[in-house]
Amino acid sequence: MSEVWERIMAFVGVRWPLAVAAAAVGGCGVLLFVDPNQPGSLLPPCPLYALTGIQCPACGSTRMVHALLHGDLVGAWHFNAVMLLVGLPLLVWLWARWFRAARRGRPTPPVSGKVGVPVVALAVTWMLARNLVA
């Protein structure tokens, strides 16, 4: 009986990581049919860019994912190269850490400064570079 209970508890622990994965899959499903590049698209623009004209480090990510889902790697690179090369792998890694910890019934360990500091530095540098050059 304890093995069944452990499996139930393991599933309960992973419900939030699985819900986030399902939401990501759902978002990708929307992007298969809705083109964020079209005027009047159902998808909202970046709020920071719409209000200030400043591109955040993630600006272009929706269009990047749309391009990836349609097999356009060059377009994805054009919309947000840093998110393509660093952001997506980082998100997958963070989600996998969360899922593993949840499956074991443990809290997700904090991200080391060896990872966090370079990521923040890259995000700030990318934001400055893309706004000063553009």
Side-chain angles (χ1 to χ4, degrees):
M1 185 69 168
S2 70
E3 184 178 330
V4 172
W5 181 251
E6 286 177 17
R7 286 185 181 185
I8 291 170
M9 292 310 292
F11 175 73
V12 167
V14 298
R15 72 178 180 268
W16 287 112
L18 290 176
V20 168
V25 168
C28 288
V30 168
L31 286 174
L32 280 172
F33 301 104
V34 177
D35 186 353
N37 300 301
Q38 296 300 318
S41 170
L42 294 173
L43 301 170
C46 172
L48 180 67
Y49 186 74
L51 292 172
T52 66
I54 296 172
Q55 294 183 32
C56 74
C59 269
S61 294
T62 303
R63 293 175 290 151
M64 178 199 70
V65 172
H66 177 268
L68 281 177
L69 290 170
H70 289 87
D72 183 6
L73 190 57
V74 174
W77 175 268
H78 170 75
F79 290 126
N80 195 326
V82 170
M83 188 60 83
L84 179 65
L85 292 178
V86 179
L88 287 180
L90 180 66
L91 288 173
V92 169
W93 176 72
L94 289 170
W95 183 88
R97 291 176 78 241
W98 181 27
F99 181 80
R100 274 193 308 261
R103 200 175 80 213
R104 294 177 181 145
R106 297 182 180 150
T108 307
V111 174
S112 161
K114 292 178 182 178
V115 174
V117 171
V119 167
V120 170
L122 178 62
V124 169
T125 302
W126 177 234
M127 185 172 172
L128 289 172
R130 69 192 318 205
N131 285 292
L132 294 177
V133 172

